Amino acid sequence: MARGPGLALLSLSLLPPLLLLVAVIGHAAAQDNCTCPTNKMTMCERSGPGGRCQCRALGSGLLVDCSTLTSKCLLLKARMSASKSGRALVRPSEHALVDNDGLYDPDCDQQGSFKARQCNQTSVCWCVNSVGVRRTDKGDQSLRCDELVRTHHILIDLRHRPDTRAFNHSDLDAELRRLFRERYLLHPKFVAAVHYEHPTIQIELQQNASQKAAGDVDIADAAYYFERDVKGESVFPGRGGLDVRVRGEPLLLERTLIYYLDEKPPQFSMKRLTSGLIAVIVVVAVALVAGVVVLVVTNRRKSGKYKKVEVKELGEMRKEPSL
Ligand SMILES: *[C@@H]1O[C@H](CO)[C@@H](O)[C@H](O)[C@H]1NC(C)=O
Ligand SMILES: *[C@@H]1O[C@H](CO)[C@@H](O)[C@H](O)[C@H]1NC(C)=O
Ligand SMILES: *[C@@H]1O[C@H](CO)[C@@H](O)[C@H](O)[C@H]1NC(C)=O
Ligand SMILES: *[C@@H]1O[C@H](CO)[C@@H](O)[C@H](O)[C@H]1NC(C)=O
């Protein structure tokens, strides 16, 4: 007889802990997706009274805003820290070709921008532009870099597989613009032009300091995310690779060269630059997974020169952009 009320009492006293348990489980479930949708090289956790999801970039530990792209400097730094700690890097191959994109462990400021002067462990220093590419000769620690010179024009030179038939230029143009707007969150006005002549595609990004409003994605970061996507090393977590289709036809990219033009001419002692040109640059050779091996093999057989050229591209090679 006494059992009934006793049980009721018992369950009543169990109720708050049960509710608590449910709440905790619910909270844990909500925590499950505390990740950074724009940068997989982060550590995220809920903190503070509101339990807001906060993400910090690997390597630097700086807080990142996951509603937009992470800066190239922080991404490079995270990448270097991952390779140091032996974390698996998504790389098509260990061959030098894919390493030659000017990889180094950069110094970033609190906003995630490159510091104007970069040095490596052996106290060799150089000045970089806003995309982190060297724009002066190397010097020792007395080298001064007064300002971070802005890269305001980026030319991305791509080639699609030559055996596919020509795309309709205006459709291709529209798809690439959509890609930069939707995937890289770049304001459309910064995609200055898309040129196309089968099988070469050129995308021009332009953004000078006065045009860039607070919150605008920088063309340097959009280009870097794109470069990583083309290489099959996407910075986005869990999203598939690049899948660009033009009227249903997949756009298969084979090769990418990226030219960076700065607001001020670079300062190399070698006087090769013609006066009218604003600047120039280091080239990033990129190839898709399948493309890498083929390129290396075929080029080596032909001349044995390919590797040398690629190594130079690490920082030495300068080209006048063929605009
Ligand atoms: C987390 O989950 C909620 C609800 O399921 C969803 O609205 C939100 O977009 C998710 N956030 C992320 C970063 O996936
Ligand atoms: C630093 O740079 C110099 C000159 O480019 C290079 O020879 C050296 O290997 C670099 N050291 C490191 C640790 O990157
Ligand atoms: C390309 O497609 C557009 C519509 O998207 C069309 O107006 C144009 O005529 C096409 N050009 C060619 C050469 O087929
Ligand atoms: C920035 O771009 C705008 C529009 O293209 C141009 O009017 C302006 O002169 C440029 N400013 C600089 C400093 O290059």
Side-chain angles (χ1 to χ4, degrees):
M1 281 284 189
R3 253 180 100 219
L7 198 63
L9 242 160
L10 189 67
S11 46
L12 261 179
S13 64
L14 267 178
L15 203 57
L18 262 175
L19 279 177
L20 193 68
L21 191 68
V22 168
V24 165
I25 290 172
H27 187 62
Q31 269 181 343
D32 275 349
N33 72 353
C34 173
T35 56
C36 187
T38 53
N39 180 357
K40 66 182 176 193
M41 308 290 273
T42 48
M43 290 280 282
C44 304
E45 60 176 9
R46 289 187 187 278
S47 58
R52 269 184 53 221
C53 178
Q54 293 200 313
C55 301
R56 289 178 186 276
L58 296 178
S60 62
L62 277 183
L63 277 179
V64 297
D65 176 357
C66 294
S67 68
T68 187
L69 303 188
T70 302
S71 73
K72 181 178 178 185
C73 192
L74 294 182
L75 291 176
L76 267 185
K77 201 161 185 62
R79 195 166 179 209
M80 295 309 286
S81 81
S83 58
K84 267 185 219 144
S85 67
R87 217 181 301 263
L89 273 188
V90 191
R91 285 234 175 127
S93 120
E94 284 304 306
H95 195 278
L97 179 65
V98 290
D99 291 345
N100 279 339
D101 56 5
L103 271 184
Y104 61 97
D105 188 10
D107 278 334
C108 312
D109 68 15
Q110 286 302 305
Q111 282 72 49
S113 305
F114 286 94
K115 287 192 180 164
R117 193 180 75 154
Q118 300 285 333
C119 301
N120 72 8
Q121 292 97 319
T122 53
S123 314
V124 175
C125 300
W126 59 91
C127 307
V128 299
N129 56 19
S130 59
V131 295
V133 169
R134 185 164 69 84
R135 49 172 274 110
T136 63
D137 292 326
K138 288 179 184 167
D140 58 21
Q141 279 183 305
S142 65
L143 179 77
R144 290 190 44 171
C145 307
D146 294 325
E147 53 166 348
L148 183 71
V149 175
R150 182 167 174 80
T151 298
H152 67 154
H153 190 169
I154 298 179
L155 180 68
I156 305 172
D157 191 299
L158 305 155
R159 217 178 74 146
H160 68 70
R161 294 212 347 213
D163 56 354
T164 51
R165 69 191 166 78
F167 293 100
N168 173 318
H169 189 159
S170 62
D171 292 344
L172 179 68
D173 181 294
E175 277 310 315
L176 289 172
R177 285 174 192 270
R178 193 168 65 86
L179 179 75
F180 274 83
R181 187 179 70 240
E182 292 180 0
R183 189 170 171 95
Y184 309 120
L185 310 172
L186 184 67
H187 194 288
K189 71 181 173 199
F190 301 129
V191 180
V194 175
H195 309 281
Y196 177 54
E197 196 177 301
H198 182 277
T200 303
I201 303 166
Q202 289 184 320
I203 305 169
E204 280 190 70
L205 306 180
Q206 247 173 327
Q207 182 186 58
N208 59 28
S210 54
Q211 290 171 300
K212 190 185 164 192
D216 272 341
V217 164
D218 197 291
I219 53 172
D221 302 331
Y224 187 61
Y225 269 74
F226 178 68
E227 177 193 333
R228 294 282 297 269
D229 270 335
V230 170
K231 282 182 176 176
E233 301 172 350
S234 184
V235 177
F236 295 112
R239 293 202 212 173
L242 210 50
D243 182 20
V244 184
R245 279 159 197 278
V246 183
R247 295 213 174 243
E249 285 288 318
L251 177 66
L252 301 170
L253 302 171
E254 277 200 339
R255 191 210 56 177
T256 303
L257 294 173
I258 304 179
Y259 300 82
Y260 302 106
L261 289 91
D262 296 350
E263 284 181 348
K264 295 183 178 175
Q267 296 164 338
F268 294 104
S269 51
M270 205 167 66
K271 294 260 186 284
R272 256 195 61 223
L273 303 169
T274 51
S275 51
L277 277 171
I278 308 180
V280 190
I281 305 338
V282 171
V283 176
V284 182
V286 182
L288 281 178
V289 182
V292 174
V293 180
V294 178
L295 258 172
V296 172
V297 172
T298 53
N299 282 284
R300 270 213 179 144
R301 276 206 195 125
K302 264 187 215 151
S303 60
K305 271 187 188 162
Y306 194 78
K307 203 175 168 210
K308 193 166 148 236
V309 170
E310 292 306 321
V311 169
K312 279 177 86 181
E313 283 175 355
L314 228 180
E316 312 301 335
M317 192 162 112
R318 274 165 278 147
K319 270 194 184 177
E320 292 170 9
S322 46
L323 286 175

